[in-house]
Amino acid sequence: MSELRVSDYGCVSNATVYGLGESIRRAKFPMAAKTGELTADLTPGIQKIAQTRNGEGHDQWLTGVVVQFDLTLSNKAWVEVERYHFLDFVSSQSTMHRITSFDLDEAYNNYVDHRIVEIMKEKVVVYNQLKNSLTAQEQSKAELDRLYLEILYSNPAGFRLTAGMTTNYRQLKTIYAQRKAHRLPEWREFCRWIETLPHSELITGERPGRD
């Protein structure tokens, strides 16, 4: 399957698009008598069915255009990501495993009150000092566990994590329509990245070369 590298943009990095040409060719199957003669040329008819309204089903061929990328978002945005059934997590950073190992001065976005950041840093210092003072046999103590949970539950929504994602152009079409004017700046940035994808007009409905 052919691949197209996409430049990093904002919260998205290491992005690759797979199967664009193959999916354009296969989109022509319904009107073809001889599939071996089909090409990957994007015709007006294929573009038209890609840009039909969400839910009509004519844009099904966009599911064959697979996109993989690394995405860095705040906890607040990640909660909203989970509503999309075809935006799949490959792997992600984990607060459950590593919350006391992050550089907290870098981990939070600019909207987190600096006083909260300082509180979190203090809690992590207390936890790590206690952990380092205990032997391996002692580290199941209830106080250590309590402190760790306190850090997890106190962590603000502006904490950023990176995850590897897999999705497709059809799901991105839905996301773009729903999130391009969203209140969270991360969603707007993500939608601007979508506009940089090869043949993004299939997703956005816009004509290539627009102002």
Side-chain angles (χ1 to χ4, degrees):
M1 181 179 289
S2 61
E3 62 180 61
L4 300 168
R5 295 290 298 177
V6 181
S7 298
D8 295 352
Y9 186 97
C11 58
V12 185
S13 59
N14 302 315
T16 307
V17 175
Y18 300 91
L20 178 58
E22 292 91 334
S23 294
I24 291 172
R25 182 182 65 82
R26 290 166 181 148
K28 301 171 184 178
F29 279 5
M31 302 301 292
K34 297 181 179 179
T35 59
E37 298 177 356
L38 300 176
T39 71
D41 295 335
L42 180 60
T43 62
I46 297 305
Q47 179 167 327
K48 182 178 180 181
I49 61 174
Q51 294 176 328
T52 53
R53 290 181 300 178
N54 291 334
E56 290 188 351
H58 301 298
D59 58 359
Q60 172 63 25
W61 74 266
L62 292 176
T63 61
V65 188
V66 175
V67 190
Q68 294 189 327
F69 52 92
D70 296 337
L71 181 60
T72 302
L73 296 176
S74 68
N75 280 339
K76 174 59 181 171
W78 278 124
V79 171
E80 298 181 359
V81 165
E82 293 172 359
R83 70 169 291 172
Y84 294 108
H85 298 293
F86 301 102
L87 178 58
D88 297 321
F89 287 78
V90 176
S91 185
S92 67
Q93 290 181 294
S94 172
T95 54
M96 181 62 68
H97 294 301
R98 303 296 290 174
I99 185 63
T100 58
S101 300
F102 283 89
D103 180 349
L104 297 185
D105 287 320
E106 299 293 332
Y108 297 110
N109 66 26
N110 294 332
Y111 300 100
V112 179
D113 192 309
H114 71 92
R115 295 170 296 178
I116 298 174
V117 177
E118 291 305 313
I119 290 172
M120 290 299 298
K121 289 164 66 176
E122 291 172 7
K123 290 181 179 297
V124 168
V125 167
V126 171
Y127 172 85
N128 285 330
Q129 286 178 341
L130 178 59
K131 181 181 179 181
N132 292 335
S133 70
L134 298 176
T135 66
Q137 291 74 26
E138 294 174 321
Q139 285 187 12
S140 61
K141 283 189 174 180
E143 178 62 9
L144 196 64
D145 293 340
R146 186 192 69 79
L147 287 173
Y148 199 82
L149 290 174
E150 191 174 281
I151 293 168
L152 284 173
Y153 285 120
S154 298
N155 198 30
F159 189 85
R160 293 176 296 188
L161 294 167
T162 299
M165 312 298 293
T166 295
T167 189
N168 58 65
Y169 269 33
R170 194 179 187 202
Q171 181 68 100
L172 290 176
K173 181 180 173 183
T174 297
I175 292 172
Y176 186 84
Q178 294 178 348
R179 304 288 177 169
K180 62 183 177 180
H182 197 273
R183 191 167 189 171
L184 290 184
E186 295 158 292
W187 276 122
R188 299 196 302 274
E189 184 175 80
F190 184 71
C191 288
R192 289 194 296 272
W193 169 75
I194 290 175
E195 294 170 358
T196 74
L197 293 173
H199 285 296
S200 64
E201 72 275 8
L202 302 174
I203 301 170
T204 66
E206 300 289 343
R207 293 179 181 273
R210 66 191 183 284
D211 294 334

